[in-house]
Amino acid sequence: MADPTEGSFSEPETEIMRATYRALREHGYADLTIKRIAAEYGKSTAAVHYHYDTKDELLVAFLDYLLERFVDTIRDVETTDPHQRLDLLLDELIFAPEEHRDLAVAMLEMRAQAPYKGDFRERFRGNDEYVRYMIKAVINHGIDEGEFDDVDADHVTRGLMMIVDGARTRAVVLDEPGALETARQTAAEYVDAVLT
Amino acid sequence: MADPTEGSFSEPETEIMRATYRALREHGYADLTIKRIAAEYGKSTAAVHYHYDTKDELLVAFLDYLLERFVDTIRDVETTDPHQRLDLLLDELIFAPEEHRDLAVAMLEMRAQAPYKGDFRERFRGNDEYVRYMIKAVINHGIDEGEFDDVDADHVTRGLMMIVDGARTRAVVLDEPGALETARQTAAEYVDAVLT
DNA sequence: CCTACCGATCGGTAGG
DNA sequence: CCTACCGATCGGTAGG
């Protein structure tokens, strides 16, 4: 809250989140231990437990941290023209895994835990609702301005989310060059087909 | 190989794969231990290690087992009409997570390990190629018969895979009713838009 | 395949 | 926050 947005040091909690991120990237979720997080943090495991009583509590906080970072990558779309705005939004949603592969990998690992952790699922649902709201708003705006056909904005939004999530999953799992370009093109074809 | 396809007992390896499946379903990948697998198997951990030297070796065999089961769910499309055949294929690919949620959950967990396990990634790539080949063959058949437009079959196939994988991921993570119906409809819209 | 066990590591805590 | 430690559990093995 003190706003060291650019400062190289900040609150211990933020440092621990960063350390968790590095540990997850290096070892994967299944081998993510308090000891490794503490090692990345540069302090003892007791220091970690001083800030987060249990591992579960730390992981939920970490998911919030991850989702914040994710939302940050798609927040600054500034154009007002609906079609262009939708294009830019889709660019960010689909090409994010390319620029932030570590983030995409970590997100998929956390996502795969959702069936076992209700806390995780709730947060992913909230995040998904937020992203869908952004897309839906642009589509509705385009419909109002007569730039898009009068479609079911909610349905089209969900269709685009399928493509976005498919792209993300495939980018992480298969790691094939060109997969994101294909996804972007598919999204464009879908937009052209149903909105115009 | 002795073919007890319906027998309630079979080779120890198959029993262990089944036990691993149950243990994974119950505890998740991060808490999947040899001890729990052995408990499901009904024998000692040494019995498990007798068949699989290391946990890694067991997991790779288990992924093969999972992918076989997955392929089995999409093998028996019998129609010859291209459009109908593509529809049935997409039905199976998209609605599979509904009928086999455990399988879909397990698959996503294994998928999330791909960045850390080259063995896993290779197998997912092989499986993906197989599924894509099936779809592409149907599309090319439709093009040859003049039922579909003369499109880039490979590109359309990849577009459909995005939707399929998006649907699977979202079904597991968000667990929202209706998500698969939406995905199926999106796939139909995409097919209509680019193939006809 | 089993019993019995190995060293290593786990999440978490007591006491300062 | 640290040192030092807890009981529990991990993957894996020896010997039969």
Side-chain angles (χ1 to χ4, degrees):
Chain A
M1 304 274 178
D3 164 68
T5 327
E6 287 291 332
S8 36
F9 293 94
S10 51
E11 313 87 62
E13 282 82 1
T14 309
E15 292 291 326
I16 293 174
M17 292 297 99
R18 282 204 259 259
T20 304
Y21 192 19
R22 292 193 296 272
L24 180 60
R25 178 175 54 201
E26 201 127 348
H27 307 284
Y29 185 90
D31 294 318
L32 182 63
T33 67
I34 300 283
K35 193 167 203 167
R36 286 199 237 259
I37 293 168
E40 291 288 345
Y41 182 34
K43 304 198 172 167
S44 70
T45 62
V48 174
H49 275 110
Y50 176 78
H51 294 282
Y52 299 98
D53 282 350
T54 66
K55 192 185 178 184
D56 264 19
E57 191 183 310
L58 186 152
L59 289 175
V60 170
F62 178 65
L63 179 53
D64 286 334
Y65 171 80
L66 270 191
L67 290 176
E68 270 173 43
R69 287 189 53 135
F70 170 68
V71 163
D72 280 348
T73 69
I74 58 163
R75 200 143 41 187
D76 30 37
V77 175
E78 291 293 350
T79 331
T80 45
D81 173 67
H83 208 127
Q84 195 179 347
R85 199 177 159 83
L86 182 59
D87 275 350
L88 289 175
L89 212 50
L90 289 171
D91 277 347
E92 289 187 337
L93 283 167
I94 291 174
F95 291 117
E98 194 165 72
E99 294 149 37
H100 310 275
R101 175 144 227 273
D102 293 338
L103 182 59
V105 169
M107 286 278 284
L108 186 66
E109 291 208 88
M110 300 297 277
R111 286 186 140 209
Q113 306 305 317
Y116 307 94
K117 307 224 175 209
D119 288 344
F120 282 24
R121 187 169 50 236
E122 272 177 50
R123 275 157 173 90
F124 281 119
R125 281 181 174 162
N127 175 264
D128 194 70
E129 228 171 303
Y130 174 78
V131 175
R132 276 191 284 110
Y133 177 82
M134 289 184 69
I135 298 178
K136 206 160 53 173
V138 178
I139 292 176
N140 277 324
H141 184 212
I143 293 173
D144 290 346
E145 295 212 346
E147 200 165 333
F148 295 148
D149 290 352
D150 186 20
V151 297
D152 179 346
D154 193 76
H155 171 73
V156 174
T157 297
R158 286 175 189 276
L160 289 173
M161 290 302 282
M162 298 287 163
I163 297 170
V164 167
D165 279 333
R168 288 170 175 276
T169 300
R170 293 175 66 80
V172 169
V173 175
L174 304 174
D175 198 18
E176 286 173 338
L180 295 174
E181 279 79 4
T182 300
R184 186 62 189 85
Q185 201 175 332
T186 300
E189 289 161 357
Y190 184 69
V191 164
D192 280 355
V194 297
L195 287 183
T196 62
Chain B
M1 306 273 178
D3 164 68
T5 327
E6 288 290 332
S8 36
F9 294 94
S10 51
E11 313 88 60
E13 282 82 1
T14 308
E15 292 290 326
I16 293 173
M17 293 296 100
R18 281 203 258 258
T20 304
Y21 192 19
R22 292 193 296 272
L24 179 61
R25 177 174 55 199
E26 202 128 347
H27 307 284
Y29 185 90
D31 294 318
L32 182 65
T33 67
I34 300 283
K35 194 167 204 169
R36 287 199 237 258
I37 293 169
E40 291 288 345
Y41 182 34
K43 304 198 172 166
S44 70
T45 62
V48 174
H49 274 111
Y50 176 79
H51 294 282
Y52 301 96
D53 282 350
T54 65
K55 191 185 177 186
D56 264 20
E57 192 183 310
L58 186 152
L59 289 175
V60 169
F62 178 66
L63 179 53
D64 286 334
Y65 170 80
L66 271 189
L67 290 176
E68 270 174 42
R69 287 190 53 135
F70 170 69
V71 163
D72 281 347
T73 69
I74 57 161
R75 201 144 39 191
D76 29 40
V77 175
E78 292 293 351
T79 331
T80 46
D81 173 67
H83 207 128
Q84 195 179 348
R85 199 177 161 81
L86 182 59
D87 275 351
L88 289 174
L89 212 51
L90 289 172
D91 277 347
E92 288 187 339
L93 284 168
I94 290 174
F95 291 117
E98 192 164 74
E99 293 150 37
H100 310 273
R101 174 143 227 275
D102 293 339
L103 182 60
V105 170
M107 286 278 284
L108 186 65
E109 292 209 87
M110 301 296 278
R111 287 185 138 208
Q113 307 305 316
Y116 307 95
K117 307 222 176 211
D119 288 344
F120 282 24
R121 187 169 49 236
E122 272 176 50
R123 276 157 174 90
F124 281 119
R125 280 181 175 162
N127 175 263
D128 195 70
E129 229 171 305
Y130 174 79
V131 175
R132 276 190 284 112
Y133 178 82
M134 289 185 69
I135 297 178
K136 204 158 56 170
V138 178
I139 292 176
N140 278 323
H141 185 212
I143 293 172
D144 290 347
E145 296 212 345
E147 199 165 332
F148 295 148
D149 289 351
D150 186 20
V151 296
D152 178 347
D154 193 76
H155 171 72
V156 174
T157 297
R158 287 175 188 275
L160 288 172
M161 289 303 281
M162 298 285 163
I163 297 170
V164 168
D165 279 332
R168 288 170 174 278
T169 301
R170 293 176 66 79
V172 170
V173 176
L174 303 174
D175 197 19
E176 286 174 338
L180 295 174
E181 280 79 4
T182 300
R184 185 62 189 86
Q185 203 174 331
T186 300
E189 288 161 357
Y190 184 69
V191 164
D192 281 355
V194 297
L195 287 183
T196 61

